Amino acid sequence: GCSTATTVADEPLQGRYWRAVEIEGKPVSVTRDPAEPHVVLAEDMRAYGSDGCNSFTGSYTLSPGLHFDQLASTMMACLPSINVMASEFSSALASTANYQINGKQMLLRDAAGRVRLRLEATLLK
């Protein structure tokens, strides 16, 4: 696209609906399904969302970086292709050590600095 001089303000980490657009370097096929893989970081340090198959809840810490704790998810049966994506999303979240927000995009990196997830912010639904 064409680049304009306007800079987009960085979205806040908390209080946004972070939709996964890339998991382990693979683009997520965007469905308008409510079960698209996403994570919400609430201001009370609770995390919740969906891995694309099951919903999950847990908590997170911010010092230093970003770490998710005690993520518990429902155990529904899903299509095999969805299951693969869901488990990759879950393990990527579990291995997250750092985050970087650029405008509406957020990268989640593991302790080795590898980008595991690329997410995009939308307002909470």
Side-chain angles (χ1 to χ4, degrees), residues 3 7 14 29 38 43 47 49-51 54 61 69 75 80 86 88 121:
S3 62
T7 55
Q14 299 173 316
S29 52
H38 70 278
E43 294 188 5
S50 169
D51 60 13
N54 290 285
T61 55
D69 301 308
M75 301 297 285
E88 287 188 345

Side-chain angles (χ1 to χ4, degrees), residues 46-70:
R46 303 291 299 164
Y48 60 92
S50 169
D51 60 13
C53 171
N54 290 285
S55 55
F56 64 84
T57 58
S59 59
Y60 66 95
T61 55
L62 286 175
S63 49
L66 170 62
H67 296 269
F68 294 96
D69 301 308
Q70 286 108 34

Side-chain angles (χ1 to χ4, degrees), residues 20 27 34 39 44 52 77 110 120:
V39 61
D44 61 0
D110 61 20
E120 192 175 79

Side-chain angles (χ1 to χ4, degrees), residues 11-18 39-44 46 48 60 121-125:
E11 292 286 333
L13 176 68
Q14 299 173 316
R16 286 292 183 271
Y17 177 103
W18 290 102
V39 61
V40 175
L41 292 88
E43 294 188 5
D44 61 0
R46 303 291 299 164
Y48 60 92
Y60 66 95
T122 59
L123 290 174
L124 280 175
K125 295 181 167 41

